[in-house]
Amino acid sequence: MESLCEAACALQLLERRGAARYGLGPLGAALLGNPGIAAMVRHHAALYADLGDPLALLRGHDRERRLAHYWPYALDHGGQSLTRDDVAPYTELMAASQPMIADVVLSAYPLTGHRCLLDVGGGDGSFLSAAARAAPQLQLQLFDLPEVAAIARERLAKAGLAGRTTISPGSFYDDPLPSGADVISLIRVVHDHDDDAVAHLFAKVRAALPADGILLLGEPMRDAAGGSDGVSAYFEIYLRAMGQGRPRSANRLRELLNVAGFSQVRVLRTRIPLIASVIVAKS
Ligand SMILES: C[S@@+](CC[C@H](N)C(=O)[O-])C[C@H]1O[C@@H](n2cnc3c(N)ncnc32)[C@H](O)[C@@H]1O
């Protein structure tokens, strides 16, 4: 017990409170207070299993990667074969970790002054629920793979938001995005996909927006304002295990946005760049 406690002190999970007495340290308190962090730590079992053969992981030869099965849209882009059991674990993980993301993104771009928000790859609707609380005037739309959209329909109804929300099931690889929103968000979506898919997605977002509509992009970026190297250390390896996607710099995202026809592209500073930086682009 003493060895465990001393090791945990070194990680600031615990701290010494006297002879043979320990209490929660600053990082331990954060872990206990934020169930999303514990859920993230637990799902890393899949990443550590894939790291068991690091060369296969880096060469991209291992089709049996556990993390690719955890995120099954990495194996089935259209999502047609995915069941509720396939999508439920990652959708729960995203919901558990979404409050801290929403807090960071909505502090940087509060969505006041917009009429209707479409959240593409919106998961169970947690980001939309937070946006609805922060901006009570907003109408809400969500687009995600069919089995995830079904979960969002239930969650948003439970949250009393059914009357404000339209849900569109589909794949952004194959289907058009619904129109009608003056702001479209992509939260922790783009880094999961390769450049061709992202270029295609940005073009679809632009086509769905009115003139002067806004794309709100929130995800970890390699060198965004105040960005940290931790983004590369984690996501370069993580996304290789998943089998697709890249952490991109804000400049690379700006290039892809310009090619899709977005003109004014602004990078906004956030409090915790390791979990999300923000880009706002005008159509
Ligand atoms: C990493 S999760 C992020 C979820 C949510 N935006 C959040 O931050 O909590 C990526 C989301 O994109 C969705 N997604 C992946 N591929 C998709 C596709 N082809 N069409 C629509 N949604 C897709 C997934 O189902 C998932 O909900």
Side-chain angles (χ1 to χ4, degrees), residues 162-186:
R164 273 169 83 182
T165 312
T166 310
I167 296 189
S168 305
S171 163
F172 50 67
Y173 280 82
D174 307 314
D175 304 306
L177 300 177
S179 57
D182 60 336
V183 52
I184 296 182
S185 49
L186 289 166

mmCIF file of all heavy atoms in Angstrom, residues 162-186:
data_model
loop_
_atom_site.group_PDB
_atom_site.id
_atom_site.type_symbol
_atom_site.label_atom_id
_atom_site.label_comp_id
_atom_site.label_asym_id
_atom_site.label_seq_id
_atom_site.Cartn_x
_atom_site.Cartn_y
_atom_site.Cartn_z
ATOM 1 N N ALA A 162 -36.699 17.814 -27.351
ATOM 2 C CA ALA A 162 -37.234 17.237 -28.600
ATOM 3 C C ALA A 162 -37.868 18.315 -29.469
ATOM 4 O O ALA A 162 -37.691 18.327 -30.688
ATOM 5 C CB ALA A 162 -38.231 16.130 -28.281
ATOM 6 N N GLY A 163 -38.587 19.261 -28.847
ATOM 7 C CA GLY A 163 -39.298 20.297 -29.601
ATOM 8 C C GLY A 163 -38.365 21.274 -30.317
ATOM 9 O O GLY A 163 -38.771 21.927 -31.271
ATOM 10 N N ARG A 164 -37.121 21.363 -29.850
ATOM 11 C CA ARG A 164 -36.160 22.312 -30.459
ATOM 12 C C ARG A 164 -35.224 21.631 -31.445
ATOM 13 O O ARG A 164 -34.378 22.281 -32.041
ATOM 14 C CB ARG A 164 -35.281 22.943 -29.352
ATOM 15 C CG ARG A 164 -35.875 24.176 -28.707
ATOM 16 C CD ARG A 164 -35.058 24.552 -27.471
ATOM 17 N NE ARG A 164 -33.857 25.330 -27.768
ATOM 18 C CZ ARG A 164 -32.993 25.730 -26.834
ATOM 19 N NH1 ARG A 164 -33.205 25.413 -25.556
ATOM 20 N NH2 ARG A 164 -31.938 26.444 -27.158
ATOM 21 N N THR A 165 -35.343 20.274 -31.575
ATOM 22 C CA THR A 165 -34.293 19.531 -32.268
ATOM 23 C C THR A 165 -34.794 18.764 -33.480
ATOM 24 O O THR A 165 -35.856 18.146 -33.433
ATOM 25 C CB THR A 165 -33.674 18.485 -31.299
ATOM 26 O OG1 THR A 165 -33.371 19.124 -30.069
ATOM 27 C CG2 THR A 165 -32.409 17.886 -31.860
ATOM 28 N N THR A 166 -34.010 18.782 -34.566
ATOM 29 C CA THR A 166 -34.252 17.904 -35.708
ATOM 30 C C THR A 166 -33.050 16.969 -35.809
ATOM 31 O O THR A 166 -31.902 17.431 -35.762
ATOM 32 C CB THR A 166 -34.307 18.721 -37.024
ATOM 33 O OG1 THR A 166 -35.206 19.797 -36.828
ATOM 34 C CG2 THR A 166 -34.771 17.855 -38.180
ATOM 35 N N ILE A 167 -33.337 15.668 -35.938
ATOM 36 C CA ILE A 167 -32.235 14.703 -36.003
ATOM 37 C C ILE A 167 -32.193 14.064 -37.380
ATOM 38 O O ILE A 167 -33.219 13.593 -37.877
ATOM 39 C CB ILE A 167 -32.403 13.636 -34.908
ATOM 40 C CG1 ILE A 167 -32.291 14.362 -33.568
ATOM 41 C CG2 ILE A 167 -31.377 12.521 -35.050
ATOM 42 C CD1 ILE A 167 -32.218 13.523 -32.376
ATOM 43 N N SER A 168 -31.004 14.070 -38.014
ATOM 44 C CA SER A 168 -30.858 13.483 -39.347
ATOM 45 C C SER A 168 -29.821 12.363 -39.282
ATOM 46 O O SER A 168 -28.632 12.631 -39.076
ATOM 47 C CB SER A 168 -30.376 14.531 -40.349
ATOM 48 O OG SER A 168 -31.232 15.636 -40.346
ATOM 49 N N PRO A 169 -30.271 11.099 -39.453
ATOM 50 C CA PRO A 169 -29.310 10.005 -39.511
ATOM 51 C C PRO A 169 -28.651 9.949 -40.882
ATOM 52 O O PRO A 169 -29.304 10.218 -41.886
ATOM 53 C CB PRO A 169 -30.174 8.745 -39.301
ATOM 54 C CG PRO A 169 -31.602 9.200 -39.272
ATOM 55 C CD PRO A 169 -31.665 10.648 -39.586
ATOM 56 N N GLY A 170 -27.377 9.607 -40.940
ATOM 57 C CA GLY A 170 -26.699 9.465 -42.232
ATOM 58 C C GLY A 170 -25.204 9.427 -42.046
ATOM 59 O O GLY A 170 -24.708 9.504 -40.919
ATOM 60 N N SER A 171 -24.508 9.300 -43.178
ATOM 61 C CA SER A 171 -23.041 9.328 -43.156
ATOM 62 C C SER A 171 -22.568 10.498 -43.985
ATOM 63 O O SER A 171 -23.016 10.664 -45.128
ATOM 64 C CB SER A 171 -22.480 8.034 -43.747
ATOM 65 O OG SER A 171 -21.115 8.235 -44.076
ATOM 66 N N PHE A 172 -21.633 11.269 -43.461
ATOM 67 C CA PHE A 172 -21.141 12.400 -44.254
ATOM 68 C C PHE A 172 -20.230 11.929 -45.390
ATOM 69 O O PHE A 172 -19.813 12.727 -46.207
ATOM 70 C CB PHE A 172 -20.499 13.497 -43.396
ATOM 71 C CG PHE A 172 -19.456 13.065 -42.406
ATOM 72 C CD1 PHE A 172 -18.243 12.551 -42.822
ATOM 73 C CD2 PHE A 172 -19.687 13.230 -41.037
ATOM 74 C CE1 PHE A 172 -17.270 12.167 -41.907
ATOM 75 C CE2 PHE A 172 -18.719 12.852 -40.105
ATOM 76 C CZ PHE A 172 -17.510 12.316 -40.537
ATOM 77 N N TYR A 173 -19.925 10.627 -45.461
ATOM 78 C CA TYR A 173 -19.214 10.104 -46.633
ATOM 79 C C TYR A 173 -20.185 9.963 -47.809
ATOM 80 O O TYR A 173 -19.796 10.139 -48.950
ATOM 81 C CB TYR A 173 -18.593 8.731 -46.339
ATOM 82 C CG TYR A 173 -17.294 8.816 -45.574
ATOM 83 C CD1 TYR A 173 -17.285 8.962 -44.184
ATOM 84 C CD2 TYR A 173 -16.064 8.751 -46.236
ATOM 85 C CE1 TYR A 173 -16.090 9.043 -43.477
ATOM 86 C CE2 TYR A 173 -14.868 8.828 -45.537
ATOM 87 C CZ TYR A 173 -14.885 8.975 -44.163
ATOM 88 O OH TYR A 173 -13.700 9.055 -43.464
ATOM 89 N N ASP A 174 -21.454 9.631 -47.503
ATOM 90 C CA ASP A 174 -22.383 9.243 -48.575
ATOM 91 C C ASP A 174 -23.573 10.186 -48.734
ATOM 92 O O ASP A 174 -24.180 10.220 -49.800
ATOM 93 C CB ASP A 174 -22.949 7.832 -48.284
ATOM 94 C CG ASP A 174 -21.833 6.832 -48.053
ATOM 95 O OD1 ASP A 174 -20.881 6.842 -48.853
ATOM 96 O OD2 ASP A 174 -21.899 6.082 -47.060
ATOM 97 N N ASP A 175 -23.962 10.875 -47.686
ATOM 98 C CA ASP A 175 -25.226 11.617 -47.712
ATOM 99 C C ASP A 175 -24.985 13.118 -47.625
ATOM 100 O O ASP A 175 -23.998 13.556 -47.043
ATOM 101 C CB ASP A 175 -26.105 11.188 -46.513
ATOM 102 C CG ASP A 175 -26.327 9.694 -46.497
ATOM 103 O OD1 ASP A 175 -26.781 9.167 -47.528
ATOM 104 O OD2 ASP A 175 -26.024 9.051 -45.470
ATOM 105 N N PRO A 176 -25.934 13.921 -48.190
ATOM 106 C CA PRO A 176 -25.807 15.374 -48.016
ATOM 107 C C PRO A 176 -26.144 15.753 -46.580
ATOM 108 O O PRO A 176 -26.838 15.010 -45.883
ATOM 109 C CB PRO A 176 -26.870 15.929 -48.977
ATOM 110 C CG PRO A 176 -27.841 14.812 -49.185
ATOM 111 C CD PRO A 176 -27.121 13.516 -48.945
ATOM 112 N N LEU A 177 -25.647 16.901 -46.142
ATOM 113 C CA LEU A 177 -26.001 17.402 -44.806
ATOM 114 C C LEU A 177 -27.296 18.194 -44.909
ATOM 115 O O LEU A 177 -27.558 18.823 -45.935
ATOM 116 C CB LEU A 177 -24.881 18.305 -44.280
ATOM 117 C CG LEU A 177 -23.515 17.643 -44.130
ATOM 118 C CD1 LEU A 177 -22.473 18.668 -43.674
ATOM 119 C CD2 LEU A 177 -23.590 16.486 -43.133
ATOM 120 N N PRO A 178 -28.105 18.183 -43.851
ATOM 121 C CA PRO A 178 -29.343 18.975 -43.891
ATOM 122 C C PRO A 178 -29.033 20.467 -43.950
ATOM 123 O O PRO A 178 -28.025 20.917 -43.411
ATOM 124 C CB PRO A 178 -30.037 18.616 -42.570
ATOM 125 C CG PRO A 178 -28.989 18.029 -41.707
ATOM 126 C CD PRO A 178 -27.927 17.464 -42.591
ATOM 127 N N SER A 179 -29.889 21.226 -44.598
ATOM 128 C CA SER A 179 -29.679 22.681 -44.658
ATOM 129 C C SER A 179 -30.534 23.347 -43.576
ATOM 130 O O SER A 179 -31.287 22.681 -42.867
ATOM 131 C CB SER A 179 -30.044 23.212 -46.042
ATOM 132 O OG SER A 179 -31.377 22.865 -46.313
ATOM 133 N N GLY A 180 -30.418 24.663 -43.455
ATOM 134 C CA GLY A 180 -31.276 25.401 -42.510
ATOM 135 C C GLY A 180 -30.521 26.008 -41.340
ATOM 136 O O GLY A 180 -31.016 26.934 -40.696
ATOM 137 N N ALA A 181 -29.306 25.504 -41.050
ATOM 138 C CA ALA A 181 -28.553 26.047 -39.910
ATOM 139 C C ALA A 181 -27.682 27.215 -40.378
ATOM 140 O O ALA A 181 -27.183 27.209 -41.498
ATOM 141 C CB ALA A 181 -27.671 24.955 -39.313
ATOM 142 N N ASP A 182 -27.489 28.211 -39.501
ATOM 143 C CA ASP A 182 -26.553 29.295 -39.840
ATOM 144 C C ASP A 182 -25.186 29.084 -39.178
ATOM 145 O O ASP A 182 -24.258 29.863 -39.393
ATOM 146 C CB ASP A 182 -27.132 30.678 -39.488
ATOM 147 C CG ASP A 182 -27.436 30.825 -38.011
ATOM 148 O OD1 ASP A 182 -27.647 29.797 -37.331
ATOM 149 O OD2 ASP A 182 -27.473 31.962 -37.510
ATOM 150 N N VAL A 183 -25.073 28.026 -38.356
ATOM 151 C CA VAL A 183 -23.759 27.640 -37.817
ATOM 152 C C VAL A 183 -23.716 26.112 -37.756
ATOM 153 O O VAL A 183 -24.681 25.469 -37.328
ATOM 154 C CB VAL A 183 -23.473 28.300 -36.443
ATOM 155 C CG1 VAL A 183 -24.586 28.079 -35.444
ATOM 156 C CG2 VAL A 183 -22.140 27.838 -35.862
ATOM 157 N N ILE A 184 -22.604 25.552 -38.225
ATOM 158 C CA ILE A 184 -22.432 24.087 -38.216
ATOM 159 C C ILE A 184 -21.178 23.765 -37.414
ATOM 160 O O ILE A 184 -20.111 24.346 -37.648
ATOM 161 C CB ILE A 184 -22.295 23.535 -39.660
ATOM 162 C CG1 ILE A 184 -23.595 23.775 -40.441
ATOM 163 C CG2 ILE A 184 -21.945 22.045 -39.638
ATOM 164 C CD1 ILE A 184 -23.598 23.228 -41.872
ATOM 165 N N SER A 185 -21.315 22.854 -36.439
ATOM 166 C CA SER A 185 -20.150 22.510 -35.617
ATOM 167 C C SER A 185 -19.625 21.122 -35.979
ATOM 168 O O SER A 185 -20.393 20.205 -36.310
ATOM 169 C CB SER A 185 -20.502 22.585 -34.132
ATOM 170 O OG SER A 185 -21.688 21.882 -33.868
ATOM 171 N N LEU A 186 -18.311 21.005 -35.889
ATOM 172 C CA LEU A 186 -17.610 19.715 -36.010
ATOM 173 C C LEU A 186 -16.735 19.625 -34.766
ATOM 174 O O LEU A 186 -15.691 20.286 -34.684
ATOM 175 C CB LEU A 186 -16.738 19.692 -37.265
ATOM 176 C CG LEU A 186 -17.470 19.621 -38.614
ATOM 177 C CD1 LEU A 186 -16.505 19.945 -39.762
ATOM 178 C CD2 LEU A 186 -18.064 18.228 -38.825
#
